[in-house]
Amino acid sequence: MLLLVYYSCQEEENLPPLKIFSITPMNVQLGDTIEISGQGFSPGFDYNEITFTGGAVTYSLPGSTTEKILVEVPDGAQSGEMIVDILDVEMATAPSVEVHPPVINEVTPAEAWVGDSLVIRGENFQRNAVRNNVKLGRVEAPTLLSSKTELTVLVPQNAEDGPVSVMGVAGPQFTVKPSVIYGIVPTHGVVGDTIEIRGRGMNAQNVHFAPGIPATIILDGSGARTVRVVVPVGATDGAITIRNNINDKELILTTPQDFLIYPNIAEMTPLSGYAGIAVTLSGHNFSPVAEDNIVRFNGQQAVVTKATTNELLVTVPTGVTTGPVSITVNGRETPGPVFTATSEGTPIVLAMSPRSGSAGSRVQLDGINFGETAAGNTVRFAGNATATIISASATQLVVEVPPQAITGLVTVTKDGKTGVAPTYTINSVALPFLTSVSPASARPGSSITVKGGNFNAVAGLVLSTENNERFTVSAVTATEFVAMVPQNLIPGDYSLFVIQGGRASNTIPFEVAGNPVLQSIDVTEGTPGTIVTITGTELHSREVKNIVRFGTETAVLVNPADANPNTVAVYVPNVEAGVYNITLTTFGVTSNSLSFTVKPSGAPVRNILYTENEAPSRFAVKRRTNDPPSESTLFERTFALQPMYALTLDLAGQKAYFADDVIGGPTAVARANYDQSGYQVLYSGEHGIGQILDLSLDIAHQKVYITDFVNVLYRGDMDGSGPLEMLYDFGSHGILPIGVSYEPEADALYIISGYPEIAPFKVLRGAADGSGLTDLFDESDGLTYPVDVKVDVGSGQLFVLDGYNTIKVGNLDGSGGMTTLATRNREILGISLDTGDDFVYWMEYSNDTKTLASVFRQKYDGSTEAEEVYTNIAQLELTFEPWLGGMRAGLVVEDAGGASARGWKFSSMKANRSSRQPVKRLGPIARPGK
């Protein structure tokens, strides 16, 4: 140690004086890497200590030199100068750097159970999920998805109440919800069964069945929502209790219903025979009263002659046939083992000892009706393996286990009549084990040496991988053997194990090496964040082992779990515009390079929510994100008679509002939580509404606006608690209120109205209290068949989806007429606005068969070409008549203003009307001022 320090100091004495010339970049976020250029830095990278303003200290990273050091901006760093300190001998002040710490704007939900996920929205997060260092109180929370503006994290088992923090910056308070049990699946069972206790936020420390019997928890498959346990011996009817530990607090939970214990037959002796012989049944929860136990042999009831809680003695009934033996106690029936019916004189095996062993072991069979000579009996083990009979009498046989025997039932045959004996378990070969493989990485066709123990070539030793690729084995000794790597193995990570005598060893890791070669990329230019798919040969089969670089900048993988061995998809890193060489490094080898042009970044693509129609009776609300790409289902309805149309969302409340079927009646306004719970009909025909055309929400005042086919615009409460108010009645004018959009800043409604050949189509503005309407645009402004309207107060514009394929724009005050922003060759299904960056987003069919759709965007002023931003959205074609709204697809942009805060709605997805008959008003309608 002293020698190392001495040489280090000698090297320092030969360096020029410490000076700092520049810092790149000057504007950074926590976790970013900056480059400090200068002279006199220590060649030992961990000797360069850097102190940021605010007191955060870190050290230079590997790759630093005497003229350049790389530094990761640590948590707690603040804007200002940095001090570089080398071994407390030399110090220099670096120029100021602007540090942008993370900003937490919102945590949704503010309360959650252990095992749930939270969404943290804000700014300046790291795309590297681990680097965000998210904590709930003092406890680290795993980050599942990450982007610059949004993190999705998992509430961990040891979560506690406290502020949510990202990279040391605290945000809103978070509360862990108390654990809850919903029920048991199934609600009854037998000793040894595995059952599930279901709930939310569970962190089971131990589980007890009545009357306080501890149960074994099965870790595989158990978690915060499900605890899997084995029904213990001695359990009786009653509730199950769980001792839970959440937020450092112990909580005893009890299942809401009792678990019922059924009787069960664990073993039956003998397994075959004929009417009149005695059979012993061993198990659990029998009645000690013989007549209270009903035993049936393949449906035929037997006489129980003796009974305890764990054993029954029964007589095989007359006319018995082969089939399961069942036990019923107090009306609780459980099937048991199969009894094989034979004729009189058939061998009956009453005992077998031992019941496990290796080939060559001796086994004793006790019973009746055996042949008195060895030649008079045939004993077979599973695998159709005939045993050698050592000795024989009418009541006992001693046999030798044959080499080819496998685990299974044993049979005894005499005079063509076969009786069944219990299962014999083969463990003839000692369990092999592996300790090492050398070399640990080798190319196909190479030889490797595997070391371990209990190897036996005679027992059929096989070296294999998890996907059953077998190696050629040679030179086998008890402790090692040589194997050839198969030529057809794809380069990547494998687990090797030995199979010997039907038993498998432990596994050890092995890498099949490759020489990566890049062949092509699917795109040759794009902005940071663009997905580039690289095709090549001998890439690592584990995506995460492929390190892709644009120049010296490492790219983030799109799907680290991707199993395609010939392609790797990455996001273009956030680098300056220019031409970069793409390389891939794996197996310690760097590939050839391919050229890629990075273009300047444009406006970010926003996340979207939309309706998806995969089948005539299946409809869903889904969410897609762009950075990183992801897709999730928020709400789903199957076997529906008609679509969920006129759909709108309360994002903050995590609820979907939609027009839905009501059995035996017209459509109704309904809502449900994103997890499909909490379904509630708010307003229906009983309240006076007819076929619904459109919905819009006023989140701030918790109001819902409804237009219907009987020409009325209503206002109701988002929870359905109050009566409907009739704001506007268009019926006297023959006008149909096709669409409505609430605008919160002016507390106004923008309405599309009209009816072919009866009333002209118009865009109207009305007060949200129903006090007046103003005409903004009509057919003289170019309207043909308007379907939906969207409003952006910031730009002073409104946007109309007109007819099949046109988006038009006009001023909010109705001045200046309307202009066409976009006309498409395929039908447009819905529009929404990105009010932060002034983009119109729309969904349109992407194929002629009208089964798939894509989302495009274009600037408000038409200064950009239409850009396809999302693809492969399932949209089965539905009936479309623009003047009725048609059955359209919904689309919402999560814009910079926040969709939930402004109450933006889905473009209406409306149902066609089959008749013009008015809907009878059954309930009261309150009119403003009356």
Side-chain angles (χ1 to χ4, degrees):
M1 180 63 72
L2 291 175
L3 185 62
L4 290 174
V5 173
Y6 170 78
Y7 280 126
S8 175
C9 293
Q10 288 294 97
E11 291 176 356
E12 294 292 332
E13 292 174 359
N14 295 328
L15 294 175
L18 176 62
K19 292 183 180 179
I20 296 176
F21 302 144
S22 64
I23 297 177
T24 305
M26 302 290 286
N27 286 278
V28 297
Q29 297 175 199
L30 299 183
D32 285 353
T33 299
I34 61 177
E35 181 181 299
I36 304 176
S37 299
Q39 67 177 31
F41 299 127
S42 171
F45 62 85
D46 52 350
Y47 295 151
N48 299 300
E49 181 183 272
I50 299 91
T51 303
F52 285 73
T53 298
V57 177
T58 188
Y59 296 88
S60 55
L61 301 172
S64 299
T65 68
T66 58
E67 297 178 345
K68 175 190 72 176
I69 58 175
L70 303 175
V71 180
E72 184 178 277
V73 182
D75 293 355
Q78 299 176 9
S79 298
E81 296 178 339
M82 295 178 291
I83 297 175
V84 178
D85 181 352
I86 302 177
L87 296 173
D88 293 329
V89 175
E90 287 191 273
M91 290 188 290
T93 301
S96 293
V97 64
E98 188 73 24
V99 178
H100 301 279
V103 177
I104 303 175
N105 295 329
E106 179 188 23
V107 176
T108 304
E111 298 181 352
W113 285 287
V114 166
D116 287 356
S117 60
L118 303 179
V119 176
I120 305 172
R121 296 186 176 92
E123 302 171 15
N124 304 330
F125 301 149
Q126 287 288 326
R127 285 193 174 94
N128 184 333
V130 177
R131 185 61 191 83
N132 289 286
N133 190 24
V134 178
K135 291 185 178 180
L136 307 181
R138 299 165 298 172
V139 179
E140 292 188 9
T143 301
L144 307 177
L145 297 171
S146 61
S147 71
K148 290 289 187 181
T149 58
E150 186 173 293
L151 305 175
T152 301
V153 302
L154 183 72
V155 181
Q157 287 283 8
N158 57 340
E160 64 179 21
D161 298 345
V164 177
S165 64
V166 178
M167 290 181 273
V169 176
Q173 194 77 6
F174 171 75
T175 303
V176 182
K177 286 187 176 182
S179 307
V180 62
I181 295 178
Y182 295 146
I184 319 166
V185 178
T187 56
H188 68 269
V190 303
V191 170
D193 279 357
T194 298
I195 68 167
E196 293 183 355
I197 304 170
R198 296 179 181 177
R200 297 291 292 274
M202 295 187 293
N203 182 12
Q205 306 299 308
N206 53 61
V207 177
H208 286 81
F209 283 67
I213 307 297
T216 300
I217 299 174
I218 300 176
L219 298 180
D220 184 20
S222 291
R225 299 192 178 193
T226 301
V227 178
R228 303 179 71 234
V229 296
V230 178
V231 179
V233 175
T236 60
D237 292 354
I240 303 172
T241 59
I242 290 182
R243 189 178 301 276
N244 227 37
N245 193 318
I246 295 292
N247 203 7
D248 291 331
K249 298 176 182 177
E250 188 174 74
L251 178 66
I252 305 298
L253 302 176
T254 303
T255 56
Q257 70 266 67
D258 288 348
F259 182 79
L260 305 181
I261 302 295
Y262 276 42
N264 72 303
I265 302 171
E267 187 173 356
M268 177 173 64
T269 304
L271 292 172
S272 64
Y274 40 85
I277 70 167
V279 172
T280 301
L281 305 178
S282 302
H284 304 91
N285 299 302
F286 301 149
S287 172
V289 179
E291 56 266 25
D292 290 344
N293 300 280
I294 299 174
V295 177
R296 292 184 175 90
F297 283 69
N298 200 25
Q300 291 181 277
Q301 187 167 342
V303 175
V304 179
T305 59
K306 185 179 179 182
T308 68
T309 56
N310 297 316
E311 188 172 279
L312 301 177
L313 186 64
V314 301
T315 302
V316 177
T318 302
V320 65
T321 58
T322 298
V325 176
S326 65
I327 174 67
T328 303
V329 178
N330 295 327
R332 301 175 185 179
E333 181 178 5
T334 305
V338 171
F339 183 83
T340 302
T342 63
S343 59
E344 289 192 23
T346 300
I348 295 176
V349 180
L350 300 175
M352 180 173 71
S353 180
R355 293 195 178 186
S356 65
S358 58
S361 300
R362 293 194 176 187
V363 177
Q364 179 176 307
L365 304 173
D366 293 298
I368 59 175
N369 300 332
F370 297 156
E372 295 184 356
T373 63
N377 302 277
T378 301
V379 178
R380 289 188 177 89
F381 284 70
N384 198 29
T386 301
T388 299
I389 299 176
I390 306 300
S391 63
S393 72
T395 58
Q396 186 180 91
L397 301 174
V398 177
V399 301
E400 186 176 285
V401 179
Q404 67 272 36
I406 62 175
T407 297
L409 293 173
V410 177
T411 61
V412 178
T413 302
K414 185 194 74 171
D415 298 332
K417 298 178 179 181
T418 300
V420 181
T423 294
Y424 187 85
T425 301
I426 299 293
N427 53 6
S428 57
V429 179
L431 183 67
F433 62 90
L434 305 180
T435 57
S436 67
V437 56
S438 179
S441 177
R443 291 180 58 82
S446 303
S447 292
I448 58 174
T449 299
V450 180
K451 294 186 177 182
N454 296 332
F455 301 147
N456 186 340
V458 177
L461 181 145
V462 175
L463 180 66
S464 182
T465 65
E466 64 268 40
N467 54 351
N468 203 31
E469 294 287 348
R470 299 197 170 192
F471 291 57
T472 301
V473 174
S474 62
V476 179
T477 70
T479 58
E480 68 176 54
F481 59 87
V482 175
M484 182 76 71
V485 180
Q487 291 286 355
N488 61 332
L489 276 186
I490 297 169
D493 293 339
Y494 293 86
S495 295
L496 298 184
F497 60 94
V498 165
I499 301 174
Q500 185 173 267
R503 307 180 71 197
S505 72
N506 60 306
T507 63
I508 56 173
F510 177 69
E511 180 183 77
V512 177
N515 183 24
V517 175
L518 304 188
Q519 297 174 319
S520 64
I521 50 179
D522 63 336
V523 291
T524 58
E525 62 178 24
T527 58
T530 300
I531 296 177
V532 179
T533 301
I534 304 166
T535 301
T537 59
E538 297 195 24
L539 312 183
H540 205 293
S541 60
R542 285 188 63 197
E543 196 93 338
V544 294
K545 291 293 187 74
N546 297 295
I547 309 302
V548 177
R549 294 185 175 90
F550 285 65
T552 59
E553 189 72 18
T554 301
V556 175
L557 298 171
V558 173
N559 181 10
D562 180 34
N564 189 328
N566 300 316
T567 63
V568 176
V570 297
Y571 300 107
V572 176
N574 190 19
V575 294
E576 299 293 332
V579 178
Y580 291 82
N581 286 328
I582 298 178
T583 58
L584 186 149
T585 302
T586 189
F587 310 113
V589 178
T590 298
S591 71
N592 58 308
S593 64
L594 299 175
S595 181
F596 185 87
T597 301
V598 178
K599 300 167 65 177
S601 298
V605 175
R606 302 295 185 187
N607 302 334
I608 62 169
L609 297 100
Y610 59 93
T611 58
E612 184 172 81
N613 309 313
E614 291 187 5
S617 62
R618 182 190 177 280
F619 307 97
V621 179
K622 293 193 173 183
R623 180 175 183 266
R624 281 200 187 182
T625 63
N626 177 69
D627 182 17
S630 68
E631 179 182 299
S632 57
T633 298
L634 304 185
F635 182 80
E636 184 177 47
R637 176 172 289 285
T638 56
F639 306 109
L641 298 179
Q642 59 184 13
M644 296 184 302
Y645 57 93
L647 178 61
T648 182
L649 294 180
D650 172 9
L651 296 180
Q654 299 283 289
K655 294 181 184 296
Y657 288 73
F658 49 91
D660 197 10
D661 287 323
V662 175
I663 297 175
T667 55
V669 179
R671 71 175 183 177
N673 298 322
Y674 284 176
D675 62 3
Q676 303 192 51
S677 67
Y679 177 86
Q680 177 186 4
V681 173
L682 305 178
Y683 299 104
S684 66
E686 295 182 356
H687 298 84
I689 58 176
Q691 186 79 22
I692 296 167
L693 295 178
D694 204 0
L695 301 174
S696 188
L697 298 180
D698 172 3
I699 302 295
H701 300 98
Q702 292 291 291
K703 296 293 183 181
V704 57
Y705 293 89
I706 308 164
T707 63
D708 72 355
F709 213 108
V710 291
N711 305 331
V712 176
L713 194 157
Y714 301 99
R715 179 172 65 186
D717 295 312
M718 284 174 56
D719 62 0
S721 60
L724 282 176
E725 300 174 90
M726 180 189 290
L727 299 184
Y728 298 103
D729 187 349
F730 299 89
S732 60
H733 305 287
I735 303 174
L736 190 68
I738 301 170
V740 60
S741 188
Y742 175 75
E743 195 283 290
E745 294 190 23
D747 196 27
L749 300 170
Y750 286 80
I751 306 163
I752 291 178
S753 68
Y755 201 96
E757 301 178 0
I758 296 178
F761 288 104
K762 293 182 179 182
V763 177
L764 309 171
R765 182 178 60 222
D769 62 0
S771 60
L773 290 172
T774 302
D775 289 3
L776 298 180
F777 301 102
D778 56 25
E779 293 176 359
S780 66
D781 296 296
L783 291 178
T784 56
Y785 298 114
V787 175
D788 204 0
V789 60
K790 291 288 184 287
V791 176
D792 182 2
V793 177
S795 69
Q797 295 175 299
L798 59 81
F799 298 82
V800 174
L801 175 55
D802 193 22
Y804 290 87
N805 60 351
T806 302
I807 299 173
K808 293 182 177 178
V809 59
N811 296 323
L812 286 179
D813 60 5
S815 64
M818 302 200 77
T819 59
T820 297
L821 174 65
T823 299
R824 307 296 292 172
N825 293 327
R826 288 194 169 107
E827 294 172 18
I828 297 176
L829 304 175
I831 64 173
S832 188
L833 302 181
D834 171 7
T835 60
D837 290 318
D838 293 348
F839 276 92
V840 180
Y841 283 62
W842 70 85
M843 184 186 296
E844 66 177 58
Y845 282 121
S846 57
N847 59 0
D848 292 333
T849 57
K850 298 182 180 180
T851 56
L852 292 175
S854 295
V855 173
F856 292 79
R857 71 172 183 173
Q858 189 169 3
K859 292 287 284 185
Y860 285 179
D861 59 6
S863 60
T864 61
E865 296 292 329
E867 176 188 4
E868 188 177 33
V869 291
Y870 293 99
T871 60
N872 294 322
I873 298 173
Q875 290 294 2
L876 188 69
E877 182 184 20
L878 301 172
T879 306
F880 175 46
E881 295 180 27
W883 58 274
L884 291 179
M887 292 182 177
R888 312 288 288 181
L891 179 67
V892 165
V893 170
E894 288 185 349
D895 72 355
S900 60
R902 298 191 177 201
W904 300 128
K905 68 183 186 65
F906 275 102
S907 301
S908 299
M909 181 175 169
K910 305 159 190 159
N912 293 328
R913 180 171 169 76
S914 60
S915 72
R916 288 282 294 150
Q917 298 300 317
V919 176
K920 182 179 179 181
R921 302 188 184 280
L922 301 178
I925 298 178
R927 298 175 182 269
K930 296 186 180 181

